[in-house]
Amino acid sequence: MYEDRQYFKKHKYRDPGDYLVRSYALPKIEFMRENGCFYGNNLTILDVGSGNGTFSIYFREYAKQIACMDSSEQLLKDNKWADFKAMADAYRIPFKDSQFDLVFAANLLHHIDSPQSVIQEMKRCANKYLVFIEPNRYNPLMFIFGIFVPAERGTLVSFRKRWQALIRAAGLRIRAVKTTGMISQQNTPKFLVPLLKIFDFDFCLGEYVMFICEK
């Protein structure tokens, strides 16, 4: 985990409103909308590992209140869409039981030594829905990334059946699941985005696995 944190400190992040980030995030937001995640006008959302707001910015349309949590002080400072911010470890989320209608995490669990513990902690804070997005090792680019970037080695054990088993072991019901996309919010060349948008459907070689779960 120390190695991961050093990597992320040196990593440069695109602005959440950037065309590339928007093209990565919005199809996933739409999948959440289609599956009932945004079910009321007074939603409270916890974005765990929120970074500088890759998804927080788009939750703003649906949520009355957004809490953002990250281990990076600088990324939290750059996140302009949170009503509340907490610099904290995902093993010990500093919020109350069932405090949020929806608890969300993207590209976090594969960096965690004990993802089962974090899933349980996120479940504790959720009132209804939990959403997880993780890389898919069966995508060739993700697999290569996992081999050559030490901080991304967790990608090599990140796949649909594994996350499905961990989520069910936590006592959560899987409402919807999708393996999708070929756009990475940080690394995809912008000129390829119009072409890669056609891969925003469910197929086994997609870059990301997305789970919508009910408590």
Side-chain angles (χ1 to χ4, degrees):
M1 289 299 295
Y2 174 79
E3 185 178 58
D4 288 5
R5 289 183 182 182
Q6 295 308 304
Y7 169 73
F8 290 120
K9 279 183 180 179
K10 293 183 278 187
H11 202 68
K12 291 185 178 180
Y13 293 88
R14 295 178 185 270
D15 185 271
D18 183 271
Y19 167 66
L20 179 59
V21 178
R22 188 167 67 249
S23 299
Y24 156 79
L26 284 181
K28 297 167 182 66
I29 293 286
E30 179 61 17
F31 183 60
M32 293 172 67
R33 189 193 65 78
E34 291 171 349
N35 284 281
C37 290
F38 308 123
Y39 58 89
N41 297 322
N42 297 307
L43 288 183
T44 54
I45 296 177
L46 172 60
D47 190 351
V48 181
S50 64
N52 65 340
T54 297
F55 285 92
S56 311
I57 184 176
Y58 302 108
F59 289 149
R60 193 77 270 174
E61 180 180 348
Y62 302 98
K64 173 188 175 184
Q65 193 175 86
I66 301 172
C68 292
M69 196 186 101
D70 204 278
S71 61
S72 167
E73 182 178 6
Q74 185 57 53
L75 288 176
L76 277 175
K77 185 177 179 181
D78 293 340
N79 189 328
K80 305 176 183 69
W81 298 275
D83 297 297
F84 300 99
K85 298 180 182 181
M87 187 175 145
D89 191 305
Y91 288 113
R92 294 174 293 277
I93 298 176
F95 295 104
K96 298 176 184 177
D97 294 0
S98 303
Q99 185 171 344
F100 299 95
D101 298 305
L102 182 139
V103 178
F104 173 90
N107 300 309
L108 171 70
L109 296 179
H110 71 287
H111 291 293
I112 299 292
D113 295 329
S114 177
Q116 184 73 63
S117 299
V118 173
I119 292 171
Q120 288 286 3
E121 183 68 350
M122 290 175 65
K123 177 188 174 184
R124 178 186 65 78
C125 296
N127 180 49
K128 188 170 178 65
Y129 289 118
L130 295 96
V131 177
F132 305 96
I133 300 173
E134 291 296 325
N136 175 28
R137 79 167 184 191
Y138 296 114
N139 174 271
L141 292 176
M142 284 294 187
F143 188 78
I144 291 170
F145 198 46
I147 290 174
F148 289 103
V149 180
E152 292 290 348
R153 290 280 160 79
T155 298
L156 300 178
V157 292
S158 178
F159 53 97
R160 189 164 173 159
K161 285 188 177 180
R162 183 200 179 204
W163 298 124
Q164 190 168 285
L166 289 177
I167 287 167
R168 286 180 171 156
L172 295 168
R173 186 177 81 82
I174 297 171
R175 182 182 178 94
V177 59
K178 187 177 187 180
T179 306
T180 186
M182 290 292 285
I183 297 171
S184 167
Q185 74 270 36
Q186 303 300 334
N187 302 310
T188 300
K190 284 189 177 181
F191 74 90
L192 289 177
V193 169
L195 173 64
L196 295 178
K197 281 184 176 182
I198 66 174
F199 293 100
D200 288 329
F201 61 91
D202 192 358
F203 73 114
C204 63
L205 296 180
E207 283 195 356
Y208 300 95
V209 183
M210 185 170 183
F211 287 92
I212 296 173
C213 311
E214 286 184 281
K215 189 172 177 180

